[in-house]
Amino acid sequence: DAMVIQNPRYQVTQFGKPVTLSCSQTLNHNVMYWYQQKSSQAPKLLFHYYDKDFNNEADTPDNFQSRRPNTSFCFLDIRSPGLGDAAMYLCATSSTGSMNTEAFFGQGTRLTVV
Amino acid sequence: AQTVTQSQPEMSVQEAETVTLSCTYDTSESDYYLFWYKQPPSRQMILVIRQEAYKQQNATENRFSVNFQKAAKSFSLKISDSQLGDAAMYFCAYRSRGADGLTFGKGTHLIIQP
């Protein structure tokens, strides 16, 4: 019954080597979010897609990009990972068309940069 | 920009006792949503309880209830009859109406003593 699925759960990448994290959802929600959560810190919103419209947070580094090819999938691309990008990356979804206002989260991808 | 403050990095409570987690927030908006999310170790973030700002009545979900004080911009979570499974990181979060993402507090680590 997994509703928001993130792959992989753990990702190790080399310094400067592009990496892509993926998220899929079975909820048919029109909004998808990417958060970065560093150790012992609160999740921080990087960007979100409202349908096909991309909304970037003002302080999200250019190194982070995202793609949403269809309703179900969303990708986070890190073009040149640095040591400071090591974190848990959380994908979440929500629907603006329902009375439910909550966001549903995936289990996250823990990224290690070596 | 909205901010969310959780002033208790860690709380400890005996099993079966009651504990209250504090949260304050700052916003110039009049209509918004507030949430408490639970993040167990190495597990996904799940919604505990939500509150719509336009509702005066405090939300309750079984053993979980909130004390929402809109004028004071305070949103505390009370957990009654604490259980070992309640041990987790608890995040208070704010969301504007629409598709904007969540603004999280820094979290409170809740420890349940058997």
Side-chain angles (χ1 to χ4, degrees), chain A residues 4 9-10 31 33 35 37 40-43 45 48 50 90 94 96 99-107, chain B residues 33 35 37 39 42-47 50 52 54 89 91 95 98-107:
Chain A
V4 183
R9 291 287 310 279
Y10 301 90
V31 191
Y33 308 85
Y35 292 85
Q37 186 179 22
S40 303
Q41 295 186 22
L45 182 66
H48 73 275
Y50 184 162
L90 302 173
S94 71
T96 58
M99 294 300 293
N100 264 343
T101 57
E102 69 178 281
F104 291 80
F105 285 82
Q107 289 188 294
Chain B
Y33 305 101
F35 305 87
Y37 277 89
Q39 188 177 41
S42 301
R43 294 179 62 187
Q44 71 196 99
M45 193 159 326
I46 58 173
L47 179 71
R50 77 168 68 84
E52 290 89 346
Y54 66 86
M89 199 73 173
F91 290 97
R95 198 188 117 179
D100 291 349
L102 295 162
T103 299
F104 287 91
K106 290 187 175 181

Side-chain angles (χ1 to χ4, degrees), chain A residues 31-36 43-50 53-66, chain B residues 1-2 94-96 99-104:
Chain A
V31 191
M32 294 186 78
Y33 308 85
W34 280 104
Y35 292 85
Q36 179 192 61
K44 180 180 179 301
L45 182 66
L46 295 173
F47 27 58
H48 73 275
Y49 272 95
Y50 184 162
D53 294 332
F54 178 69
N55 298 270
N56 200 28
E57 293 299 297
D59 55 355
T60 298
D62 293 340
N63 197 26
F64 292 86
Q65 304 287 321
S66 186
Chain B
Q2 295 80 25
Y94 174 104
R95 198 188 117 179
S96 304
D100 291 349
L102 295 162
T103 299
F104 287 91

Side-chain angles (χ1 to χ4, degrees), chain B residues 8-13 18-22 88 108-112:
Chain B
Q8 305 154 316
E10 186 172 282
M11 292 282 285
S12 182
V13 64
T18 295
V19 64
T20 298
L21 308 185
S22 302
T108 296
H109 181 212
L110 179 63
I111 298 167
I112 310 295

Side-chain angles (χ1 to χ4, degrees), chain A residues 15-82:
Chain A
F15 182 95
K17 183 176 181 180
V19 64
T20 294
L21 310 181
S22 71
C23 177
S24 63
Q25 54 134 338
T26 59
L27 297 163
N28 203 34
H29 283 172
N30 61 332
V31 191
M32 294 186 78
Y33 308 85
W34 280 104
Y35 292 85
Q36 179 192 61
Q37 186 179 22
K38 294 189 175 181
S39 182
S40 303
Q41 295 186 22
K44 180 180 179 301
L45 182 66
L46 295 173
F47 27 58
H48 73 275
Y49 272 95
Y50 184 162
D51 295 319
K52 295 182 179 180
D53 294 332
F54 178 69
N55 298 270
N56 200 28
E57 293 299 297
D59 55 355
T60 298
D62 293 340
N63 197 26
F64 292 86
Q65 304 287 321
S66 186
R67 296 170 284 135
R68 189 180 186 186
N70 54 53
T71 300
S72 301
F73 286 87
C74 195
F75 301 98
L76 169 62
D77 300 308
I78 309 177
R79 293 192 298 187
S80 181

